[in-house]
PDB file of all heavy atoms in Angstrom:
ATOM      1  N   ASN B 514      79.082 101.280  55.760  1.00 84.00           N
ATOM      2  CA  ASN B 514      77.867 100.838  56.444  1.00 84.00           C
ATOM      3  C   ASN B 514      77.807  99.315  56.569  1.00 84.00           C
ATOM      4  O   ASN B 514      76.804  98.748  56.924  1.00 84.00           O
ATOM      5  CB  ASN B 514      76.610 101.384  55.745  1.00 84.00           C
ATOM      6  CG  ASN B 514      76.535 100.946  54.305  1.00 84.00           C
ATOM      7  OD1 ASN B 514      77.419 100.225  53.838  1.00 84.00           O
ATOM      8  ND2 ASN B 514      75.500 101.370  53.598  1.00 84.00           N
ATOM      9  N   ARG B 515      78.913  98.670  56.252  1.00 87.00           N
ATOM     10  CA  ARG B 515      78.994  97.231  56.479  1.00 87.00           C
ATOM     11  C   ARG B 515      80.103  96.955  57.486  1.00 87.00           C
ATOM     12  O   ARG B 515      81.026  97.747  57.626  1.00 87.00           O
ATOM     13  CB  ARG B 515      79.315  96.508  55.168  1.00 87.00           C
ATOM     14  CG  ARG B 515      78.206  96.625  54.118  1.00 87.00           C
ATOM     15  CD  ARG B 515      78.577  95.859  52.865  1.00 87.00           C
ATOM     16  NE  ARG B 515      78.607  94.412  53.112  1.00 87.00           N
ATOM     17  CZ  ARG B 515      77.524  93.652  53.125  1.00 87.00           C
ATOM     18  NH1 ARG B 515      76.330  94.173  52.940  1.00 87.00           N
ATOM     19  NH2 ARG B 515      77.619  92.361  53.332  1.00 87.00           N
ATOM     20  N   ARG B 516      80.002  95.828  58.116  1.00 89.00           N
ATOM     21  CA  ARG B 516      81.039  95.500  59.097  1.00 89.00           C
ATOM     22  C   ARG B 516      82.353  95.260  58.355  1.00 89.00           C
ATOM     23  O   ARG B 516      82.380  94.795  57.218  1.00 89.00           O
ATOM     24  CB  ARG B 516      80.663  94.299  59.957  1.00 89.00           C
ATOM     25  CG  ARG B 516      80.639  92.973  59.222  1.00 89.00           C
ATOM     26  CD  ARG B 516      80.048  91.879  60.071  1.00 89.00           C
ATOM     27  NE  ARG B 516      80.912  91.515  61.184  1.00 89.00           N
ATOM     28  CZ  ARG B 516      80.830  90.335  61.803  1.00 89.00           C
ATOM     29  NH1 ARG B 516      79.946  89.440  61.429  1.00 89.00           N
ATOM     30  NH2 ARG B 516      81.624  90.060  62.816  1.00 89.00           N
ATOM     31  N   THR B 517      83.439  95.596  59.007  1.00 90.00           N
ATOM     32  CA  THR B 517      84.754  95.476  58.387  1.00 90.00           C
ATOM     33  C   THR B 517      85.568  94.410  59.127  1.00 90.00           C
ATOM     34  O   THR B 517      85.080  93.778  60.067  1.00 90.00           O
ATOM     35  CB  THR B 517      85.510  96.807  58.466  1.00 90.00           C
ATOM     36  OG1 THR B 517      85.596  97.169  59.836  1.00 90.00           O
ATOM     37  CG2 THR B 517      84.799  97.897  57.682  1.00 90.00           C
ATOM     38  N   LEU B 518      86.799  94.310  58.708  1.00 92.00           N
ATOM     39  CA  LEU B 518      87.709  93.352  59.334  1.00 92.00           C
ATOM     40  C   LEU B 518      87.845  93.600  60.838  1.00 92.00           C
ATOM     41  O   LEU B 518      88.066  92.680  61.626  1.00 92.00           O
ATOM     42  CB  LEU B 518      89.078  93.485  58.654  1.00 92.00           C
ATOM     43  CG  LEU B 518      90.107  92.405  58.934  1.00 92.00           C
ATOM     44  CD1 LEU B 518      89.588  91.043  58.528  1.00 92.00           C
ATOM     45  CD2 LEU B 518      91.417  92.712  58.211  1.00 92.00           C
ATOM     46  N   PHE B 519      87.698  94.894  61.226  1.00 93.00           N
ATOM     47  CA  PHE B 519      87.860  95.223  62.650  1.00 93.00           C
ATOM     48  C   PHE B 519      86.848  94.497  63.533  1.00 93.00           C
ATOM     49  O   PHE B 519      87.078  94.300  64.715  1.00 93.00           O
ATOM     50  CB  PHE B 519      87.713  96.727  62.868  1.00 93.00           C
ATOM     51  CG  PHE B 519      88.781  97.526  62.188  1.00 93.00           C
ATOM     52  CD1 PHE B 519      88.459  98.616  61.398  1.00 93.00           C
ATOM     53  CD2 PHE B 519      90.120  97.198  62.350  1.00 93.00           C
ATOM     54  CE1 PHE B 519      89.446  99.354  60.774  1.00 93.00           C
ATOM     55  CE2 PHE B 519      91.113  97.927  61.730  1.00 93.00           C
ATOM     56  CZ  PHE B 519      90.775  99.008  60.932  1.00 93.00           C
ATOM     57  N   ASP B 520      85.706  94.126  62.967  1.00 93.00           N
ATOM     58  CA  ASP B 520      84.652  93.494  63.771  1.00 93.00           C
ATOM     59  C   ASP B 520      84.813  91.985  63.873  1.00 93.00           C
ATOM     60  O   ASP B 520      83.949  91.321  64.420  1.00 93.00           O
ATOM     61  CB  ASP B 520      83.273  93.773  63.159  1.00 93.00           C
ATOM     62  CG  ASP B 520      82.916  95.248  63.234  1.00 93.00           C
ATOM     63  OD1 ASP B 520      83.793  96.058  63.561  1.00 93.00           O
ATOM     64  OD2 ASP B 520      81.749  95.579  62.960  1.00 93.00           O
ATOM     65  N   ARG B 521      85.889  91.439  63.320  1.00 94.00           N
ATOM     66  CA  ARG B 521      86.057  89.975  63.354  1.00 94.00           C
ATOM     67  C   ARG B 521      86.754  89.583  64.656  1.00 94.00           C
ATOM     68  O   ARG B 521      87.963  89.336  64.681  1.00 94.00           O
ATOM     69  CB  ARG B 521      86.873  89.496  62.145  1.00 94.00           C
ATOM     70  CG  ARG B 521      86.275  89.897  60.808  1.00 94.00           C
ATOM     71  CD  ARG B 521      85.006  89.101  60.525  1.00 94.00           C
ATOM     72  NE  ARG B 521      84.266  89.707  59.398  1.00 94.00           N
ATOM     73  CZ  ARG B 521      83.104  89.247  58.957  1.00 94.00           C
ATOM     74  NH1 ARG B 521      82.546  88.201  59.528  1.00 94.00           N
ATOM     75  NH2 ARG B 521      82.475  89.842  57.964  1.00 94.00           N
ATOM     76  N   TYR B 522      85.975  89.558  65.752  1.00 96.00           N
ATOM     77  CA  TYR B 522      86.572  89.380  67.081  1.00 96.00           C
ATOM     78  C   TYR B 522      87.183  88.002  67.279  1.00 96.00           C
ATOM     79  O   TYR B 522      88.161  87.852  68.008  1.00 96.00           O
ATOM     80  CB  TYR B 522      85.538  89.691  68.161  1.00 96.00           C
ATOM     81  CG  TYR B 522      84.986  91.089  68.004  1.00 96.00           C
ATOM     82  CD1 TYR B 522      83.685  91.311  67.580  1.00 96.00           C
ATOM     83  CD2 TYR B 522      85.811  92.190  68.224  1.00 96.00           C
ATOM     84  CE1 TYR B 522      83.205  92.599  67.397  1.00 96.00           C
ATOM     85  CE2 TYR B 522      85.334  93.479  68.036  1.00 96.00           C
ATOM     86  CZ  TYR B 522      84.036  93.673  67.625  1.00 96.00           C
ATOM     87  OH  TYR B 522      83.581  94.941  67.427  1.00 96.00           O
ATOM     88  N   GLY B 523      86.592  86.991  66.639  1.00 96.00           N
ATOM     89  CA  GLY B 523      87.145  85.643  66.768  1.00 96.00           C
ATOM     90  C   GLY B 523      88.564  85.591  66.228  1.00 96.00           C
ATOM     91  O   GLY B 523      89.479  85.036  66.856  1.00 96.00           O
ATOM     92  N   LEU B 524      88.756  86.221  65.079  1.00 97.00           N
ATOM     93  CA  LEU B 524      90.074  86.254  64.451  1.00 97.00           C
ATOM     94  C   LEU B 524      91.084  86.958  65.361  1.00 97.00           C
ATOM     95  O   LEU B 524      92.182  86.441  65.616  1.00 97.00           O
ATOM     96  CB  LEU B 524      89.965  86.987  63.111  1.00 97.00           C
ATOM     97  CG  LEU B 524      91.276  87.311  62.408  1.00 97.00           C
ATOM     98  CD1 LEU B 524      91.915  86.040  61.876  1.00 97.00           C
ATOM     99  CD2 LEU B 524      91.060  88.310  61.272  1.00 97.00           C
ATOM    100  N   TRP B 525      90.710  88.133  65.879  1.00 97.00           N
ATOM    101  CA  TRP B 525      91.657  88.893  66.715  1.00 97.00           C
ATOM    102  C   TRP B 525      91.982  88.140  67.995  1.00 97.00           C
ATOM    103  O   TRP B 525      93.116  88.141  68.460  1.00 97.00           O
ATOM    104  CB  TRP B 525      91.095  90.283  67.022  1.00 97.00           C
ATOM    105  CG  TRP B 525      90.798  91.084  65.777  1.00 97.00           C
ATOM    106  CD1 TRP B 525      89.611  91.664  65.437  1.00 97.00           C
ATOM    107  CD2 TRP B 525      91.703  91.369  64.692  1.00 97.00           C
ATOM    108  NE1 TRP B 525      89.710  92.285  64.216  1.00 97.00           N
ATOM    109  CE2 TRP B 525      90.974  92.124  63.729  1.00 97.00           C
ATOM    110  CE3 TRP B 525      93.032  91.052  64.429  1.00 97.00           C
ATOM    111  CZ2 TRP B 525      91.545  92.578  62.537  1.00 97.00           C
ATOM    112  CZ3 TRP B 525      93.600  91.497  63.237  1.00 97.00           C
ATOM    113  CH2 TRP B 525      92.869  92.246  62.311  1.00 97.00           C
ATOM    114  N   THR B 526      90.956  87.484  68.546  1.00 97.00           N
ATOM    115  CA  THR B 526      91.199  86.712  69.768  1.00 97.00           C
ATOM    116  C   THR B 526      92.172  85.578  69.482  1.00 97.00           C
ATOM    117  O   THR B 526      93.082  85.316  70.278  1.00 97.00           O
ATOM    118  CB  THR B 526      89.873  86.148  70.313  1.00 97.00           C
ATOM    119  OG1 THR B 526      88.933  87.214  70.393  1.00 97.00           O
ATOM    120  CG2 THR B 526      90.054  85.532  71.682  1.00 97.00           C
ATOM    121  N   ALA B 527      91.990  84.927  68.334  1.00 97.00           N
ATOM    122  CA  ALA B 527      92.874  83.807  67.993  1.00 97.00           C
ATOM    123  C   ALA B 527      94.320  84.299  67.852  1.00 97.00           C
ATOM    124  O   ALA B 527      95.250  83.663  68.371  1.00 97.00           O
ATOM    125  CB  ALA B 527      92.400  83.158  66.696  1.00 97.00           C
ATOM    126  N   ILE B 528      94.516  85.439  67.185  1.00 97.00           N
ATOM    127  CA  ILE B 528      95.887  85.954  67.036  1.00 97.00           C
ATOM    128  C   ILE B 528      96.446  86.353  68.401  1.00 97.00           C
ATOM    129  O   ILE B 528      97.619  86.098  68.703  1.00 97.00           O
ATOM    130  CB  ILE B 528      95.920  87.151  66.061  1.00 97.00           C
ATOM    131  CG1 ILE B 528      95.395  86.723  64.686  1.00 97.00           C
ATOM    132  CG2 ILE B 528      97.337  87.705  65.932  1.00 97.00           C
ATOM    133  CD1 ILE B 528      95.291  87.856  63.689  1.00 97.00           C
ATOM    134  N   ALA B 529      95.598  86.958  69.218  1.00 96.00           N
ATOM    135  CA  ALA B 529      96.058  87.367  70.553  1.00 96.00           C
ATOM    136  C   ALA B 529      96.527  86.150  71.348  1.00 96.00           C
ATOM    137  O   ALA B 529      97.583  86.176  71.991  1.00 96.00           O
ATOM    138  CB  ALA B 529      94.937  88.095  71.296  1.00 96.00           C
ATOM    139  N   ILE B 530      95.755  85.070  71.278  1.00 97.00           N
ATOM    140  CA  ILE B 530      96.125  83.857  72.019  1.00 97.00           C
ATOM    141  C   ILE B 530      97.425  83.279  71.458  1.00 97.00           C
ATOM    142  O   ILE B 530      98.301  82.836  72.212  1.00 97.00           O
ATOM    143  CB  ILE B 530      94.973  82.829  71.983  1.00 97.00           C
ATOM    144  CG1 ILE B 530      93.787  83.364  72.803  1.00 97.00           C
ATOM    145  CG2 ILE B 530      95.416  81.472  72.513  1.00 97.00           C
ATOM    146  CD1 ILE B 530      92.526  82.546  72.701  1.00 97.00           C
ATOM    147  N   LEU B 531      97.568  83.350  70.143  1.00 96.00           N
ATOM    148  CA  LEU B 531      98.803  82.867  69.514  1.00 96.00           C
ATOM    149  C   LEU B 531     100.012  83.655  70.046  1.00 96.00           C
ATOM    150  O   LEU B 531     101.049  83.075  70.399  1.00 96.00           O
ATOM    151  CB  LEU B 531      98.687  83.026  67.995  1.00 96.00           C
ATOM    152  CG  LEU B 531      99.772  82.330  67.187  1.00 96.00           C
ATOM    153  CD1 LEU B 531      99.582  80.817  67.258  1.00 96.00           C
ATOM    154  CD2 LEU B 531      99.750  82.793  65.724  1.00 96.00           C
ATOM    155  N   LEU B 532      99.879  84.969  70.134  1.00 96.00           N
ATOM    156  CA  LEU B 532     100.972  85.795  70.656  1.00 96.00           C
ATOM    157  C   LEU B 532     101.280  85.443  72.115  1.00 96.00           C
ATOM    158  O   LEU B 532     102.438  85.424  72.539  1.00 96.00           O
ATOM    159  CB  LEU B 532     100.620  87.283  70.540  1.00 96.00           C
ATOM    160  CG  LEU B 532     100.784  87.903  69.152  1.00 96.00           C
ATOM    161  CD1 LEU B 532     100.209  89.313  69.116  1.00 96.00           C
ATOM    162  CD2 LEU B 532     102.264  87.941  68.769  1.00 96.00           C
ATOM    163  N   VAL B 533     100.225  85.175  72.877  1.00 96.00           N
ATOM    164  CA  VAL B 533     100.419  84.778  74.273  1.00 96.00           C
ATOM    165  C   VAL B 533     101.221  83.485  74.336  1.00 96.00           C
ATOM    166  O   VAL B 533     102.144  83.332  75.143  1.00 96.00           O
ATOM    167  CB  VAL B 533      99.056  84.618  74.986  1.00 96.00           C
ATOM    168  CG1 VAL B 533      99.214  83.885  76.299  1.00 96.00           C
ATOM    169  CG2 VAL B 533      98.405  85.975  75.193  1.00 96.00           C
ATOM    170  N   ILE B 534     100.879  82.545  73.447  1.00 96.00           N
ATOM    171  CA  ILE B 534     101.588  81.259  73.438  1.00 96.00           C
ATOM    172  C   ILE B 534     103.059  81.474  73.076  1.00 96.00           C
ATOM    173  O   ILE B 534     103.960  80.922  73.715  1.00 96.00           O
ATOM    174  CB  ILE B 534     100.891  80.280  72.463  1.00 96.00           C
ATOM    175  CG1 ILE B 534      99.519  79.890  73.039  1.00 96.00           C
ATOM    176  CG2 ILE B 534     101.740  79.040  72.227  1.00 96.00           C
ATOM    177  CD1 ILE B 534      98.638  79.105  72.098  1.00 96.00           C
ATOM    178  N   VAL B 535     103.304  82.322  72.070  1.00 95.00           N
ATOM    179  CA  VAL B 535     104.684  82.609  71.673  1.00 95.00           C
ATOM    180  C   VAL B 535     105.461  83.197  72.854  1.00 95.00           C
ATOM    181  O   VAL B 535     106.604  82.831  73.125  1.00 95.00           O
ATOM    182  CB  VAL B 535     104.697  83.583  70.468  1.00 95.00           C
ATOM    183  CG1 VAL B 535     106.094  84.137  70.234  1.00 95.00           C
ATOM    184  CG2 VAL B 535     104.182  82.884  69.225  1.00 95.00           C
ATOM    185  N   ALA B 536     104.815  84.112  73.578  1.00 95.00           N
ATOM    186  CA  ALA B 536     105.532  84.846  74.620  1.00 95.00           C
ATOM    187  C   ALA B 536     105.683  84.056  75.916  1.00 95.00           C
ATOM    188  O   ALA B 536     106.613  84.298  76.685  1.00 95.00           O
ATOM    189  CB  ALA B 536     104.814  86.165  74.902  1.00 95.00           C
ATOM    190  N   TYR B 537     104.761  83.136  76.179  1.00 95.00           N
ATOM    191  CA  TYR B 537     104.752  82.510  77.500  1.00 95.00           C
ATOM    192  C   TYR B 537     104.966  81.000  77.517  1.00 95.00           C
ATOM    193  O   TYR B 537     105.441  80.468  78.519  1.00 95.00           O
ATOM    194  CB  TYR B 537     103.428  82.817  78.220  1.00 95.00           C
ATOM    195  CG  TYR B 537     103.452  84.115  78.990  1.00 95.00           C
ATOM    196  CD1 TYR B 537     102.765  85.229  78.541  1.00 95.00           C
ATOM    197  CD2 TYR B 537     104.172  84.221  80.181  1.00 95.00           C
ATOM    198  CE1 TYR B 537     102.785  86.421  79.246  1.00 95.00           C
ATOM    199  CE2 TYR B 537     104.199  85.405  80.894  1.00 95.00           C
ATOM    200  CZ  TYR B 537     103.505  86.498  80.420  1.00 95.00           C
ATOM    201  OH  TYR B 537     103.538  87.666  81.128  1.00 95.00           O
ATOM    202  N   ALA B 538     104.583  80.286  76.438  1.00 95.00           N
ATOM    203  CA  ALA B 538     104.546  78.823  76.537  1.00 95.00           C
ATOM    204  C   ALA B 538     105.923  78.244  76.862  1.00 95.00           C
ATOM    205  O   ALA B 538     106.078  77.489  77.823  1.00 95.00           O
ATOM    206  CB  ALA B 538     104.004  78.229  75.234  1.00 95.00           C
ATOM    207  N   TYR B 539     106.936  78.656  76.095  1.00 95.00           N
ATOM    208  CA  TYR B 539     108.245  78.048  76.304  1.00 95.00           C
ATOM    209  C   TYR B 539     108.858  78.422  77.664  1.00 95.00           C
ATOM    210  O   TYR B 539     109.298  77.533  78.408  1.00 95.00           O
ATOM    211  CB  TYR B 539     109.190  78.405  75.142  1.00 95.00           C
ATOM    212  CG  TYR B 539     110.500  77.666  75.257  1.00 95.00           C
ATOM    213  CD1 TYR B 539     110.586  76.311  74.923  1.00 95.00           C
ATOM    214  CD2 TYR B 539     111.636  78.300  75.753  1.00 95.00           C
ATOM    215  CE1 TYR B 539     111.773  75.612  75.068  1.00 95.00           C
ATOM    216  CE2 TYR B 539     112.827  77.607  75.900  1.00 95.00           C
ATOM    217  CZ  TYR B 539     112.898  76.265  75.555  1.00 95.00           C
ATOM    218  OH  TYR B 539     114.075  75.578  75.711  1.00 95.00           O
ATOM    219  N   PRO B 540     108.897  79.713  78.030  1.00 94.00           N
ATOM    220  CA  PRO B 540     109.463  80.030  79.354  1.00 94.00           C
ATOM    221  C   PRO B 540     108.720  79.330  80.499  1.00 94.00           C
ATOM    222  O   PRO B 540     109.334  78.888  81.471  1.00 94.00           O
ATOM    223  CB  PRO B 540     109.341  81.551  79.460  1.00 94.00           C
ATOM    224  CG  PRO B 540     108.583  82.022  78.288  1.00 94.00           C
ATOM    225  CD  PRO B 540     108.568  80.935  77.276  1.00 94.00           C
ATOM    226  N   LEU B 541     107.396  79.223  80.375  1.00 95.00           N
ATOM    227  CA  LEU B 541     106.627  78.577  81.440  1.00 95.00           C
ATOM    228  C   LEU B 541     106.964  77.080  81.500  1.00 95.00           C
ATOM    229  O   LEU B 541     107.132  76.509  82.579  1.00 95.00           O
ATOM    230  CB  LEU B 541     105.131  78.784  81.160  1.00 95.00           C
ATOM    231  CG  LEU B 541     104.212  78.882  82.361  1.00 95.00           C
ATOM    232  CD1 LEU B 541     104.692  79.937  83.336  1.00 95.00           C
ATOM    233  CD2 LEU B 541     102.788  79.196  81.918  1.00 95.00           C
ATOM    234  N   TRP B 542     107.072  76.474  80.332  1.00 95.00           N
ATOM    235  CA  TRP B 542     107.394  75.050  80.238  1.00 95.00           C
ATOM    236  C   TRP B 542     108.760  74.773  80.856  1.00 95.00           C
ATOM    237  O   TRP B 542     108.913  73.885  81.697  1.00 95.00           O
ATOM    238  CB  TRP B 542     107.333  74.642  78.761  1.00 95.00           C
ATOM    239  CG  TRP B 542     107.927  73.305  78.420  1.00 95.00           C
ATOM    240  CD1 TRP B 542     109.032  73.073  77.660  1.00 95.00           C
ATOM    241  CD2 TRP B 542     107.438  72.024  78.811  1.00 95.00           C
ATOM    242  NE1 TRP B 542     109.266  71.730  77.548  1.00 95.00           N
ATOM    243  CE2 TRP B 542     108.305  71.050  78.261  1.00 95.00           C
ATOM    244  CE3 TRP B 542     106.351  71.593  79.582  1.00 95.00           C
ATOM    245  CZ2 TRP B 542     108.119  69.690  78.445  1.00 95.00           C
ATOM    246  CZ3 TRP B 542     106.178  70.228  79.770  1.00 95.00           C
ATOM    247  CH2 TRP B 542     107.035  69.295  79.208  1.00 95.00           C
ATOM    248  N   THR B 543     109.782  75.556  80.482  1.00 94.00           N
ATOM    249  CA  THR B 543     111.119  75.309  81.033  1.00 94.00           C
ATOM    250  C   THR B 543     111.124  75.590  82.537  1.00 94.00           C
ATOM    251  O   THR B 543     111.803  74.911  83.296  1.00 94.00           O
ATOM    252  CB  THR B 543     112.191  76.189  80.373  1.00 94.00           C
ATOM    253  OG1 THR B 543     111.726  77.517  80.331  1.00 94.00           O
ATOM    254  CG2 THR B 543     112.532  75.730  78.990  1.00 94.00           C
ATOM    255  N   HIS B 544     110.340  76.588  82.961  1.00 95.00           N
ATOM    256  CA  HIS B 544     110.283  76.888  84.392  1.00 95.00           C
ATOM    257  C   HIS B 544     109.728  75.694  85.171  1.00 95.00           C
ATOM    258  O   HIS B 544     110.282  75.288  86.193  1.00 95.00           O
ATOM    259  CB  HIS B 544     109.417  78.127  84.634  1.00 95.00           C
ATOM    260  CG  HIS B 544     109.408  78.545  86.072  1.00 95.00           C
ATOM    261  ND1 HIS B 544     110.349  79.401  86.596  1.00 95.00           N
ATOM    262  CD2 HIS B 544     108.616  78.192  87.115  1.00 95.00           C
ATOM    263  CE1 HIS B 544     110.126  79.563  87.889  1.00 95.00           C
ATOM    264  NE2 HIS B 544     109.085  78.842  88.230  1.00 95.00           N
ATOM    265  N   LEU B 545     108.656  75.114  84.663  1.00 95.00           N
ATOM    266  CA  LEU B 545     108.018  74.014  85.381  1.00 95.00           C
ATOM    267  C   LEU B 545     108.893  72.762  85.403  1.00 95.00           C
ATOM    268  O   LEU B 545     108.776  71.929  86.303  1.00 95.00           O
ATOM    269  CB  LEU B 545     106.652  73.697  84.749  1.00 95.00           C
ATOM    270  CG  LEU B 545     105.614  74.812  84.913  1.00 95.00           C
ATOM    271  CD1 LEU B 545     104.345  74.487  84.137  1.00 95.00           C
ATOM    272  CD2 LEU B 545     105.278  75.038  86.391  1.00 95.00           C
ATOM    273  N   ARG B 546     109.794  72.631  84.418  1.00 94.00           N
ATOM    274  CA  ARG B 546     110.666  71.457  84.368  1.00 94.00           C
ATOM    275  C   ARG B 546     111.899  71.576  85.236  1.00 94.00           C
ATOM    276  O   ARG B 546     112.587  70.598  85.513  1.00 94.00           O
ATOM    277  CB  ARG B 546     111.099  71.202  82.921  1.00 94.00           C
ATOM    278  CG  ARG B 546     110.055  70.431  82.113  1.00 94.00           C
ATOM    279  CD  ARG B 546     110.350  70.531  80.646  1.00 94.00           C
ATOM    280  NE  ARG B 546     111.779  70.398  80.392  1.00 94.00           N
ATOM    281  CZ  ARG B 546     112.328  69.373  79.748  1.00 94.00           C
ATOM    282  NH1 ARG B 546     111.573  68.393  79.320  1.00 94.00           N
ATOM    283  NH2 ARG B 546     113.613  69.340  79.531  1.00 94.00           N
TER     284      ARG B 546
END
Side-chain angles (χ1 to χ4, degrees):
Chain B
N514 59 1
R515 295 181 68 81
R516 69 189 291 202
T517 57
L518 192 59
F519 296 131
D520 294 11
R521 303 289 167 182
Y522 303 109
L524 171 71
W525 302 125
T526 309
I528 301 176
I530 292 172
L531 191 71
L532 281 171
V533 166
I534 291 171
V535 167
Y537 273 107
Y539 186 76
L541 211 53
W542 167 246
T543 47
H544 184 88
L545 293 174
R546 278 165 41 113

